[in-house]
Amino acid sequence: MKKVSSVEEYIEENSHFGEALSLLRDLINTTELEETLKWNAPVYTLNGKNVVGLGAFKNHFGIWFFNGVFLKD
């Protein structure tokens, strides 16, 4: 995958999951998290700390929580 310069470009490059990635992005952007690009993928931070990331691959896409082990069920 080529280096992207924006989340919009990332979604465009992964258009096979574009609808799902856009939906997740819109939902995350209703929070106080700040949208950034790290490791060539969307990452959302709070007070400079990574909170959640999005990723698209050949056959699946994912959302992950940094330090998710500390989240309450």
Side-chain angles (χ1 to χ4, degrees), residues 27-66:
L27 183 64
I28 294 168
N29 280 334
T30 65
T31 70
E32 61 186 309
L33 298 176
E34 181 179 335
E35 184 175 76
T36 63
L37 279 175
K38 294 185 179 185
W39 309 288
N40 207 35
V43 173
Y44 299 85
T45 64
L46 181 64
N47 299 325
K49 296 189 184 237
N50 300 334
V51 177
V52 65
L54 299 178
F57 306 93
K58 183 177 179 182
N59 295 312
H60 68 281
F61 68 93
I63 181 171
W64 67 90
F65 295 90
F66 294 86

